[in-house]
């Protein structure tokens, strides 16, 4: 992994497949945070977007949470119960502290989640890139969030604040927007309406010449429902707070791990499942 003070480049088989920006220069309203963009297939097709016109606070691939004890680490407006999306001065930021490990194919990073001048969460983020075939590789992302305050914290979402179906927050991948919406399917369902808001061992987003296959790689992660958008914009996330707020007592840690297969071509269900098995095998 080649790097500078602000960026690091992930490589698979010597090819650059992801650029990680540790200290982005962004306005506070976008909840500044490290992100991966562009992420590409092995053939070089970009499969992420950064600050797109439809949602300027979507930053490639990363971890974003709209409500940590009332602070917005997602960006943009905050959903307020009985009021709707509201502009509030409540944005937090994720600050890169240090890399504990750096290799050509990944890193371990420490981050501070800060808001209103104080640190709420300390994160350990592990990212690894692995070659699967000559047309597919896997991005393995684990994040561990520890409550470093003396008080209980909880993680929420617009859904837990009164907006049905909007349980975004956690791992999030803003995918490439094309002239037509991507297709989405899991092992047993197809289409945004059928896969959104439900747990599934894996979920595939299929574009014109590429496919992304997302898989929860721990038992707890697999229990989290998926947040899926295809028509409005292409994006997939894993919901930390779907039906109720997620408590994080003082000193306690929340851990999630998502492995994403990044493939050239339009994979069918069998091919997607086979690559996921290879990507998450022990």
């Amino acid at each position: 992994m080649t790097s500078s003070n602000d960026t690091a480049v992930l490589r698979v088989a010597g090819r650059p497949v992801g650029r990680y920006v540790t200290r982005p220069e962004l306005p506070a309203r976008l909840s500044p945070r490290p992100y991966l963009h562009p992420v590409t297939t092995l053939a070089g097709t970009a499969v992420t977007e950064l600050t797109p016109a439809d949602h300027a606070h979507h930053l490639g691939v990363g971890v974003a949470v709209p409500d940590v004890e009332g602070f917005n680490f997602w960006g943009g407006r905050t959903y307020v119960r009985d009021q709707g999306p509201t502009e509030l001065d409540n944005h937090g930021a994720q600050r890169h502290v240090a890399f504990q490990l750096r290799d050509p194919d990944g890193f371990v990073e420490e981050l501070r989640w800060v808001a209103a001048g104080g640190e709420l969460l300390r994160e350990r983020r592990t990212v690894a890139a692995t070659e699967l075939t000559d047309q597919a590789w896997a991005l393995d992302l684990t994040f561990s969030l520890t409550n470093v305050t003396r008080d209980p914290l909880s993680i929420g979402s617009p859904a837990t604040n009164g907006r049905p179906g909007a349980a975004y927050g956690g791992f999030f991948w803003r995918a490439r927007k094309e002239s037509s919406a991507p297709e989405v399917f899991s092992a047993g369902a197809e289409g945004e309406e059928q896969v959104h808001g439900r747990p599934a061992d894996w979920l595939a987003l299929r574009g014109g010449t590429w496919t992304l296959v997302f898989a929860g790689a721990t038992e707890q992660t697999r229990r989290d429902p998926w947040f899926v958008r295809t028509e409005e914009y292409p994006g997939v996330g894993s919901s930390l707070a779907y039906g109720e707020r997620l408590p994080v007592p003082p000193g306690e840690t929340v851990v999630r791990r998502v492995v994403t297969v990044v493939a050239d071509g339009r994979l069918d269900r069998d091919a997607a499942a086979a690559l996921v098995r290879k990507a998450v095998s022990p």
Side-chain angles (χ1 to χ4, degrees), residues 82-115:
D82 301 325
Q83 190 172 319
T86 306
E87 287 287 351
L88 297 177
D89 184 19
N90 67 337
H91 294 90
Q94 297 172 22
R95 295 183 181 163
H96 168 85
V97 176
F99 285 115
Q100 268 110 24
L101 173 72
R102 282 189 285 186
D103 284 321
D105 58 354
F107 57 85
V108 179
E109 179 190 23
E110 184 180 357
L111 304 102
R112 299 171 66 229
W113 290 45
V114 297

Side-chain angles (χ1 to χ4, degrees), residues 41-165:
T41 68
L42 289 174
T45 301
V47 289
T48 53
E49 284 203 18
L50 182 71
T51 61
D54 55 62
H55 289 77
H57 50 277
H58 287 181
L59 309 178
V61 181
V63 183
V65 176
D67 180 353
V68 178
E69 208 59 36
F71 292 103
N72 183 339
F73 289 87
W74 177 272
R77 296 178 295 175
T78 296
Y79 190 85
V80 178
R81 187 180 295 276
D82 301 325
Q83 190 172 319
T86 306
E87 287 287 351
L88 297 177
D89 184 19
N90 67 337
H91 294 90
Q94 297 172 22
R95 295 183 181 163
H96 168 85
V97 176
F99 285 115
Q100 268 110 24
L101 173 72
R102 282 189 285 186
D103 284 321
D105 58 354
F107 57 85
V108 179
E109 179 190 23
E110 184 180 357
L111 304 102
R112 299 171 66 229
W113 290 45
V114 297
E119 182 178 1
L120 301 178
L121 298 166
R122 182 70 57 96
E123 180 188 350
R124 181 182 174 93
R125 185 176 302 181
T126 303
V127 173
T130 308
E131 185 178 18
L132 298 174
T133 70
D134 58 1
Q135 293 184 309
W137 65 281
L139 180 72
D140 190 336
L141 190 152
T142 301
F143 64 93
S144 304
L145 299 173
T146 301
N147 178 356
V148 293
T149 76
R150 297 179 180 178
D151 301 312
L153 296 176
S154 68
I155 290 171
S157 67
T160 63
N161 293 333
R163 183 183 173 193

Side-chain angles (χ1 to χ4, degrees), residues 185-187 202-204 213 215 261 267-280:
F185 58 91
S186 64
W202 60 265
L203 187 77
V213 192
V261 174
L267 301 182
D268 62 19
R269 193 171 264 118
D270 288 344
L275 284 171
V276 164
R277 284 194 297 271
K278 188 171 185 178
V280 299

Side-chain angles (χ1 to χ4, degrees), residues 183-250:
E183 300 156 305
V184 63
F185 58 91
S186 64
E190 196 155 345
E192 180 180 327
E193 191 174 323
Q194 296 301 313
V195 297
H196 170 73
R198 293 175 173 85
D201 285 353
W202 60 265
L203 187 77
L205 194 69
R206 184 168 60 195
T209 62
W210 51 269
T211 307
L212 301 172
V213 192
F214 304 89
T218 66
E219 184 178 342
Q220 181 59 62
T221 311
R222 284 189 289 274
R223 285 202 289 264
D224 291 339
W226 293 101
F227 173 83
V228 181
R229 290 288 184 265
T230 56
E231 297 298 331
E232 181 185 356
Y233 64 83
V236 172
S238 184
S239 300
L240 285 175
Y242 181 75
E244 55 189 31
R245 300 184 69 89
L246 175 66
V248 192

Side-chain angles (χ1 to χ4, degrees), residues 2-9 19-20 22-23 99 102:
T2 56
S3 63
S4 68
N5 286 335
D6 299 311
T7 64
V9 178
R19 180 174 178 264
Y20 190 68
T22 58
R23 296 183 179 92
F99 285 115
R102 282 189 285 186

